[in-house]
Amino acid sequence: MVKLSVVGTGYLGATHAAAMSSLGFTVVGVDVDQSKIDLLRQGKVPFFEPGLEELLKTEVDSGRLTFTTDFSELADCDVHFICVGTPQKKDSLAADLTYVDASVAAVAPHAKAGSLIVGKSTVPVGTANRLATMLQELNPSVELAWNPEFLREGFAVEDTLRPNRLVVGVTSERAEEILKEVYAPLLANQVPWIKADLPTAELVKVAANSFLATKISFINAMAEICEAAGGDVTVLAQAIGHDPRIGSRFLQAGIGFGGGCLPKDIRAFMARSEELGARQSLEFLREIDSINLRARQRMIDLVRSDLGLDLKSKKIAVLGAAFKPDSDDVRDSPALDIASQISAAGAHVSVHDPKAIEPARRRFPHLLYSSAIDECVAEADVILHLTEWKMYREIDPSEMKTKVRQAIIIDGRNALDREKWVAAGWKFRALGRS
Ligand code: UDX
């Protein structure tokens, strides 16, 4: 059986390493962050991802899954998965490839002859060919392939073990055969296998994320029109979603997309299209990005329309800090962006989240945080529902009314039961529902 290494132990790498180990492979996870490796060795996950810690613990205890900061321990592996981050550069829209380049450079000298380096990170098209050339110089006995990952945070384990497709960018039949051996247990479940060249494999990922971002911004543009014309975007989304050519998923209007992927991926894609001399082809993504950021502003406008332009001395309770439910990831979180802008306008902002308070506090230390909903909403002039955790849908509006100063709630995710809140005497407002 082939032996695997996984370089980078964030959301993608830690999940991939644990999942591959659960399929029976011996897996070495590598990271340059000693504190992360120390935790993982004890079977602990440094972030919240449903089901991952249980899986990781089982695999570490089985002895199949080990972690190290020492790249020489990868020497006997047959396949090396590169799972490091590609964040947005500080000074431009482009992706920062420092970690990907450094990982390939660190693996290459130790990789044994005939082994395969497989990129899973999301990269600008052309990166894999560039890395293949680099590898020719560093260690010509090793081959490169690209195998983009489509996992969603909150469903990372499920998406890794039961993906809806496997895409492999390869330059030889041998590389495809090795990857088929690695994914044999998944292929036995009829997962579609798509073989591509390196640029297409890289493009599949950014094309998919661009499409998803477009779908969300489309429905948020419709929300703006509904607000202007007196319509209801939730009914509109339900109605168009019944058309199987459109589909009902990713039509949840609200404060828009955030996280470590969609925003930076569409920006990096635009930056790359310019380098390729094809700027016009992705010009529409600029509009997708602005519609998305505008949704945050519309939420703040709604607050002002209720509380007045001057927010000083107003108390605003924010439910949700993570960029989406079932995650503690606050990277580019629309909820926290709104909370911080309202706080900058002078309001007292108190934020609740069941999992993301600590990561949120590290990023926005000036906001107030509560680990209890009751404490967060106490004496509030308005409640903003910004991340649709299940626990917020279970709130009893009548009971909550006794805690606040003014019974006004604004649903930034169109996920609460409006009738229930209105029946309990609340003024209920939402994006896209006049
Ligand atoms: C995304 C892609 O879905 C995944 O395939 C890729 O591998 C990584 O990027 P993820 O970032 O985990 O995954 O989150 P996703 O579920 O796609 O949601 C992204 C954002 O869009 C969230 O902020 C979410 O709240 C928002 N969203 C999603 C909406 O505003 N409306 C919707 O209808 C759906």
Side-chain angles (χ1 to χ4, degrees):
M1 202 171 203
V2 292
K3 189 174 171 188
L4 315 176
S5 85
V6 175
V7 180
T9 57
Y11 289 93
L12 168 58
T15 310
H16 191 65
M20 289 298 116
S21 168
S22 78
L23 295 177
F25 295 104
T26 302
V27 183
V28 189
V30 201
D31 204 292
V32 292
D33 184 340
Q34 184 70 51
S35 59
K36 235 187 220 175
I37 291 297
D38 290 343
L39 277 177
L40 290 162
R41 275 182 179 151
Q42 299 165 43
K44 292 188 184 141
V45 178
F47 49 86
F48 173 68
E49 179 60 43
L52 181 56
E53 190 147 291
E54 293 82 342
L55 184 73
L56 185 94
K57 177 122 193 39
T58 310
E59 296 311 312
V60 169
D61 289 348
S62 77
R64 275 191 303 271
L65 177 59
T66 53
F67 290 96
T68 183
T69 52
D70 180 358
F71 280 83
S72 72
E73 288 184 35
L74 314 184
D76 60 343
C77 292
D78 305 281
V79 180
H80 308 277
F81 287 103
I82 306 295
C83 297
V84 293
T86 51
Q88 187 178 334
K89 277 186 182 165
K90 297 246 180 312
D91 52 357
S92 79
L93 294 184
D96 179 354
L97 297 173
T98 314
Y99 308 113
V100 171
D101 288 8
S103 303
V104 173
V107 171
H110 302 288
K112 70 177 178 188
S115 63
L116 189 63
I117 296 184
V118 182
K120 287 191 83 66
S121 308
T122 304
V123 290
V125 60
T127 304
N129 271 328
R130 180 176 61 74
L131 291 171
T133 308
M134 183 173 123
L135 204 53
Q136 272 298 313
E137 310 226 319
L138 295 173
N139 186 345
S141 72
V142 178
E143 206 180 320
L144 186 87
W146 218 262
N147 166 220
E149 179 58 54
F150 304 100
L151 67 80
R152 297 160 298 165
E153 288 177 26
F155 300 88
V157 174
E158 169 72 16
D159 286 352
T160 306
L161 287 172
R162 274 168 286 279
N164 46 30
R165 79 286 212 190
L166 284 163
V167 177
V168 293
V170 287
T171 51
S172 75
E173 281 191 12
R174 187 178 160 274
E176 186 183 10
E177 285 317 308
I178 296 174
L179 283 166
K180 275 198 169 150
E181 192 181 337
V182 170
Y183 289 121
L186 308 186
L187 292 175
N189 294 329
Q190 320 302 323
V191 174
W193 178 263
I194 294 152
K195 177 190 170 184
D197 51 33
L198 293 174
T200 308
E202 295 169 307
L203 279 170
V204 170
K205 175 62 191 272
V206 281
N209 276 356
S210 299
F211 191 87
L212 294 172
T214 302
K215 222 175 162 189
I216 300 169
S217 278
F218 171 81
I219 203 64
N220 282 334
M222 294 304 111
E224 292 178 357
I225 297 293
C226 283
E227 282 162 21
D232 185 330
V233 74
T234 62
V235 179
L236 176 92
Q238 199 190 358
I240 63 172
H242 280 297
D243 183 333
R245 292 169 305 173
I246 297 174
S248 59
R249 301 185 63 188
F250 271 68
L251 285 183
Q252 187 87 15
I255 57 173
F257 58 82
C261 294
L262 259 47
K264 66 107 177 147
D265 286 353
I266 63 168
R267 290 171 196 154
F269 200 13
M270 282 186 269
R272 185 69 186 127
S273 74
E274 276 192 42
E275 288 169 5
L276 293 168
R279 179 193 164 111
Q280 219 180 359
S281 310
L282 297 184
E283 198 60 48
F284 74 97
L285 287 178
R286 237 168 272 280
E287 199 52 43
I288 298 307
D289 202 8
S290 352
I291 294 169
N292 191 52
L293 296 176
R294 219 153 60 213
R296 304 175 187 187
Q297 192 51 52
R298 280 168 39 236
M299 188 75 194
I300 298 169
D301 293 345
L302 267 186
V303 174
R304 286 213 159 97
S305 73
D306 274 320
L307 301 185
L309 286 182
D310 184 7
L311 297 180
K312 286 198 188 73
S313 83
K314 303 290 185 202
K315 179 161 179 218
I316 297 178
V318 168
L319 299 182
F323 86 101
K324 68 187 249 185
D326 296 314
S327 171
D328 64 354
D329 195 346
V330 297
R331 285 175 293 171
D332 204 346
S333 162
L336 276 182
D337 186 11
I338 291 166
S340 127
Q341 287 195 51
I342 291 177
S343 161
H348 295 280
V349 180
S350 170
V351 181
H352 174 271
D353 191 285
K355 294 286 177 195
I357 286 187
E358 284 319 312
R361 202 196 299 277
R362 284 197 290 276
R363 233 159 237 246
F364 294 95
H366 60 285
L367 298 175
L368 296 171
Y369 295 93
S370 301
S371 51
I373 297 180
D374 281 2
E375 186 186 86
C376 173
V377 303
E379 297 302 315
D381 291 295
V382 64
I383 297 179
L384 310 185
H385 175 243
L386 301 186
T387 310
E388 67 277 33
W389 287 92
K390 183 164 170 276
M391 68 189 299
Y392 300 146
R393 290 195 288 284
E394 291 164 355
I395 289 174
D396 176 352
S398 306
E399 202 198 317
M400 181 116 318
K401 205 165 163 227
T402 63
K403 321 265 187 228
V404 296
R405 196 182 306 166
Q406 300 191 62
I408 307 173
I409 182 153
I410 310 180
D411 186 2
R413 290 297 185 178
N414 279 308
L416 299 175
D417 182 343
R418 175 164 70 177
E419 274 61 52
K420 202 167 89 173
W421 286 80
V422 171
W426 285 76
K427 180 173 182 187
F428 186 98
R429 315 253 266 140
L431 289 177
R433 304 178 83 182
S434 54

